[in-house]
Amino acid sequence: MTANTIATGPTGSVQRWSRTLIPTAREAPAEAESPSHVLLLRAGYIRKLGAGIYDYLPLAWRVLRKLSEIVRQEMDRAGASELCLPVLLPTELYAGTKRDVDYGDLLFKVTDRKGSVAALGPTHEEPVTELVRGSINSYKQLPLNLYQIQTKFRDEARPRSGLLRCREFIMKDAYSFHLALEGPGGLNETYDRMYQAYVNVFSRCGLDFTVVEAESGPIGGSASHEFMVNCASGEDTILKCPVSGYAANVEKCEIGARTAGTFTEPPTGEWTEVHTPGLPGIHEVGKFMKVKPDRMLKTIVFQVTGKVGGALSPDDPTWILATVRGDHDVNEGKVKAASGYTVALANEVAARAAGFAIGYVSPRCVNTVPGTMLLIDPDASHGGFWATGADKPDHHAKHFNWRRDVGAKLDQPRYVKLADLRNAMEGDPSPRAEGAKLVTGRGIEVGHIFKLGTKYSDAMGLSILDDKQQKRSVIMGCYGIGVSRTMAACVEMSHDENGIVWPMGLAPYQVLITMMKPDDPEQQRITGEVAERLAARGVDVLIDDRDERPGVKFKDADLIGIPIRLTMGDKALAAGAVEFKKRTAKDKGELAPLADVADWVIEAIRDAGVAEAKR
RNA sequence: CGGGGCGUAGCGCAGCUUGGUAGCGCGUUUGGUUCGGGACCAAAAGGUCGGAGGUUCAAAUCCUCUCGCCCCGACCA
């Protein structure tokens, strides 16, 4: 983007190190492991107050302000309006959506003096829907797009990696409201604008990111994209097609056409049972039986919980078996799509009672347990040697053969279906380009946008009359950015062995002036002059005026990661110059004449802004 | 929630097995010498050893309970 959007205001600010709080440390607390956690602690950006609860010190807060400002500009440009909703949400709000139950322990709850229970907002679909329901009277007031930037609370089972997964964190959340999906003012139009706004935000932050198709998850809805910072230490696995550009979250990723078996291949030998007592997983069993996992069948038992787009009838199955190759993972979403039923992993007790030897199930159960549908992944459908569970505790079997051991039901689509059932993996065929193979990468989810549809408006009674006086449920979208997580992701992605390397757009200050002799009046005068000149041109300047040895100052400078360092030293000043060094530069820097130094800085900021926006 | 581990000075750690008046490094303060990539000398401040209970003449150390934190997994708009 442009240079003028990088500074926080028309006039930059000047701060002296000795008068603010930047407690750098040579060593990080032992509990910190991930780079962003270690560096943000060591560089004096954050302090831990409890598990997943952090202080944001002045440097961190400046980064968060800059990030928030970028977010605001892009949200406003996309037509959204900022507001601020309560953090304290009375649980009655959840009466329609039941999400206080769905969220379970994730929800922080507080009790007031009267005994009323409120939740600390983990996200704001309910309050914003409630707000709009009570304040919109006409379809003419749609579309509407509202956002806020505030602290969210989620009692994560396991907070980790510092700011990457917190119990208290800063989030930008936006919610849009529409009468229609398509056309002007429809959800799709806003969704596309928000998508572009997100691309703009993360580009301006200098982040290297991938947009992936994602499952909409428990929040419901029909379509969603995640914005992932590409980073090997990320928690999420993403898959990309290098040819078509298709990218998806591992839960969502489709797999291209694969060849399936015909169920006519001959057996490789007699059904041979093997006693395999007390072996915990497929790898252990395989080792014990001397069979590789990709020659074993894994059959998972699901319980039918509902029918997609309808009510269950007595004819519908009770159980769904999903058989994949031993080295593959069953994907619940794909099971749902392939079967047409919503499912949950079977309750062990109930499944045992129905006749499944949990842990030792084979596809043969489609014949032996009434009300069972069998789904087979193409990679598991071939002929050749297979090992499988033997349908009795502590036993597996070799030489499973589809035709011989399952038989006629293979030809009845009511009972047996062949379908993509598993998570995609590196090397799988791309679903979008013939011959191309998927590659995997790791990512940190920093943004997520959803088409919610009418899930919340239906649950909470948000409807409106259209121009034909027909009552219509309002269609919604929601759009989140993990603001504090984005800051951490940025450090995770951009650092070296000496410390943080901030992209220009997020750096707490663009310039650090390192005074070699803070007590020297001449250095004080020139430092002040340079700082004022830079500030006047919108640059934020931090002056290291501490009475420390040069080595300490240089180490700290690298640690806190300010993009441009100006060093005030006798040698350079004698030549009428200051030393100019970028954080990314390996060498010692070059001499900038005092008269030109401001121009050098402005130019460097502009170059960085352009380069980062291009990424 | 399952598994593993850790709580001793602001940070990093030792001491615990075999109970006996709490130690090291970094940091901090003071004085001096230094001063372009984490200086040196000297002095000093700083700890109810996570908490409660128990055993004992005596507990950081042994026992019981409890709280907190980290890592792996499960989970996760």
Side-chain angles (χ1 to χ4, degrees):
Chain A
M1 288 297 116
T2 54
N4 67 351
T5 58
I6 289 167
T8 49
T11 306
S13 49
V14 176
Q15 182 59 277
R16 286 181 296 151
W17 196 307
S18 68
R19 297 272 60 85
T20 181
L21 183 63
I22 309 175
T24 58
R26 197 180 288 213
E27 289 176 293
E31 65 208 30
E33 287 196 354
S34 68
S36 67
H37 194 192
V38 169
L39 290 174
L40 288 170
L41 283 166
R42 276 193 58 209
Y45 282 74
I46 60 172
R47 271 298 167 104
K48 188 177 80 177
L49 198 58
I53 307 171
Y54 289 85
D55 299 322
Y56 302 115
L57 276 56
L59 287 182
W61 193 245
R62 289 189 65 89
V63 174
L64 291 168
R65 275 170 54 193
K66 291 203 174 183
L67 180 48
S68 301
E69 198 47 40
I70 291 173
V71 170
R72 286 194 175 95
Q73 288 174 3
E74 295 298 337
M75 287 300 105
D76 292 350
R77 209 159 79 170
S81 308
E82 185 170 9
L83 49 51
C84 190
L85 300 167
V87 161
L88 214 48
L89 307 176
T91 42
E92 295 84 71
L93 251 187
Y94 293 97
T97 63
K98 297 280 195 308
R99 277 212 306 170
D100 54 335
V101 177
D102 291 349
Y103 259 108
D105 292 338
L106 211 59
L107 212 56
F108 272 109
K109 287 182 181 160
V110 294
T111 307
D112 71 11
R113 64 176 79 203
K114 294 179 199 143
S116 306
V117 180
L120 299 180
T123 175
H124 279 69
E125 284 78 10
E126 285 85 357
V128 79
T129 303
E130 174 67 22
L131 168 70
V132 171
R133 184 177 61 151
S135 49
I136 287 270
N137 304 308
S138 162
Y139 72 95
K140 295 174 186 170
Q141 289 171 280
L142 298 180
L144 185 64
N145 190 355
L146 303 169
Y147 77 98
Q148 58 175 348
I149 297 175
Q150 74 172 184
T151 300
K152 297 282 191 264
F153 297 85
R154 290 183 198 175
D155 193 0
E156 292 282 351
R158 184 150 97 82
R160 72 186 88 168
S161 305
L163 258 35
L164 285 175
R165 189 171 210 78
C166 280
R167 298 200 296 168
E168 176 180 330
F169 56 98
I170 299 173
M171 178 166 136
K172 187 284 301 182
D173 48 327
Y175 307 89
S176 70
F177 301 85
H178 316 266
L179 195 60
L181 207 54
E182 308 283 350
L187 171 62
N188 290 345
E189 183 188 71
T190 296
Y191 189 86
D192 291 345
R193 286 184 79 176
M194 292 298 269
Y195 183 111
Q196 185 57 47
Y198 273 44
V199 168
N200 295 346
V201 166
F202 297 122
S203 299
R204 287 176 63 184
C205 292
L207 289 166
D208 171 27
F209 64 96
T210 304
V211 189
V212 305
E213 293 183 12
E215 282 295 333
S216 35
I219 200 165
S222 50
S224 102
H225 287 89
E226 286 173 346
F227 291 73
M228 298 282 201
V229 171
N230 297 317
C231 178
S233 57
E235 279 191 87
D236 301 292
T237 301
I238 61 183
L239 291 112
K240 294 188 228 186
C241 166
V243 176
S244 64
Y246 172 82
N249 185 309
V250 67
E251 282 83 40
K252 170 82 179 180
C253 188
E254 302 162 36
I255 303 174
R258 288 174 278 158
T259 56
T262 58
F263 300 134
T264 56
E265 296 86 354
T268 52
E270 291 292 307
W271 173 271
T272 311
E273 294 189 359
V274 184
H275 189 51
T276 54
L279 295 169
I282 200 129
H283 289 276
E284 286 78 5
V285 173
K287 229 178 212 172
F288 181 81
M289 293 173 68
K290 300 207 165 48
V291 176
K292 293 211 170 97
D294 64 1
R295 290 285 83 204
M296 300 179 70
L297 296 178
K298 177 155 68 181
T299 301
I300 307 289
V301 185
F302 290 93
Q303 223 157 348
V304 172
T305 57
K307 196 169 187 169
V308 177
L312 283 174
S313 77
D315 288 345
D316 289 317
T318 313
W319 308 100
I320 291 180
L321 299 180
T323 300
V324 299
R325 227 167 64 185
D327 57 329
H328 291 155
D329 289 319
V330 173
N331 179 308
E332 202 174 303
K334 291 182 177 181
V335 170
K336 176 180 161 192
S339 64
Y341 297 98
T342 56
V343 296
L345 207 56
N347 171 284
E348 252 189 77
V349 176
R352 285 221 170 83
F356 296 107
I358 293 294
Y360 307 90
V361 177
S362 91
R364 302 188 303 175
C365 289
V366 70
N367 290 316
T368 58
V369 181
T372 300
M373 176 191 266
L374 171 65
L375 305 176
I376 307 168
D377 186 75
D379 291 325
S381 67
H382 294 278
F385 175 88
W386 289 116
T388 174
D391 296 315
K392 50 179 156 175
D394 295 334
H395 285 80
H396 284 78
K398 295 181 175 181
H399 301 294
F400 170 86
N401 177 268
W402 283 106
R403 180 55 60 186
R404 181 190 66 199
D405 298 319
V406 178
K409 277 198 178 168
L410 287 172
D411 309 316
Q412 300 176 44
R414 225 188 113 193
Y415 295 109
V416 177
K417 285 181 184 166
L418 199 59
D420 174 20
L421 297 179
R422 64 171 177 87
N423 285 344
M425 291 169 59
E426 173 104 25
D428 279 337
S430 163
R432 297 285 186 279
E434 204 163 326
K437 289 187 167 164
L438 294 171
V439 295
T440 53
R442 304 284 287 177
I444 300 168
E445 179 189 347
V446 290
H448 201 161
I449 58 180
F450 299 85
K451 292 181 186 178
L452 285 178
T454 58
K455 174 175 167 147
Y456 290 91
S457 38
D458 284 342
M460 298 181 65
L462 169 59
S463 62
I464 209 158
L465 294 180
D466 67 13
D467 58 353
K468 297 186 180 63
Q469 296 193 317
Q470 294 297 305
K471 195 172 179 182
R472 303 255 297 266
S473 290
V474 171
I475 294 171
M476 293 172 58
C478 78
Y479 318 87
I481 290 178
V483 175
S484 45
R485 179 186 278 183
T486 300
M487 174 170 77
C490 194
V491 176
E492 202 71 28
M493 191 198 84
S494 179
H495 65 270
D496 62 18
E497 66 279 10
N498 295 316
I500 300 170
V501 182
W502 286 112
M504 196 62 80
L506 290 190
Y509 298 90
Q510 290 108 331
V511 172
L512 172 67
I513 300 180
T514 302
M515 298 178 73
M516 299 312 292
K517 291 184 179 167
D519 293 334
D520 179 66
E522 184 66 0
Q523 282 199 16
Q524 286 173 0
R525 186 182 64 77
I526 296 173
T527 298
E529 261 179 43
V530 170
E532 286 310 319
R533 275 211 319 262
L534 289 169
R537 296 175 72 171
V539 179
D540 295 324
V541 182
L542 178 65
I543 299 170
D544 188 353
D545 60 340
R546 294 174 302 166
D547 181 23
E548 288 287 352
R549 294 171 58 85
V552 172
K553 294 187 163 198
F554 291 141
K555 286 287 184 193
D556 275 349
D558 286 347
L559 186 57
I560 69 171
I562 308 298
I564 298 169
R565 189 180 83 200
L566 302 178
T567 307
M568 291 285 164
D570 287 342
K571 287 174 218 160
L573 287 176
V578 295
E579 201 172 288
F580 178 101
K581 180 185 175 300
K582 292 184 184 170
R583 174 64 178 81
T584 49
K586 292 266 191 294
D587 51 73
K588 286 196 71 176
E590 43 199 323
L591 290 184
L594 276 172
D596 303 338
V597 67
D599 290 336
W600 285 41
V601 167
I602 297 293
E603 191 183 336
I605 290 173
R606 190 179 302 126
D607 289 352
V610 170
E612 284 162 7
K614 258 191 208 153
R615 219 181 275 167

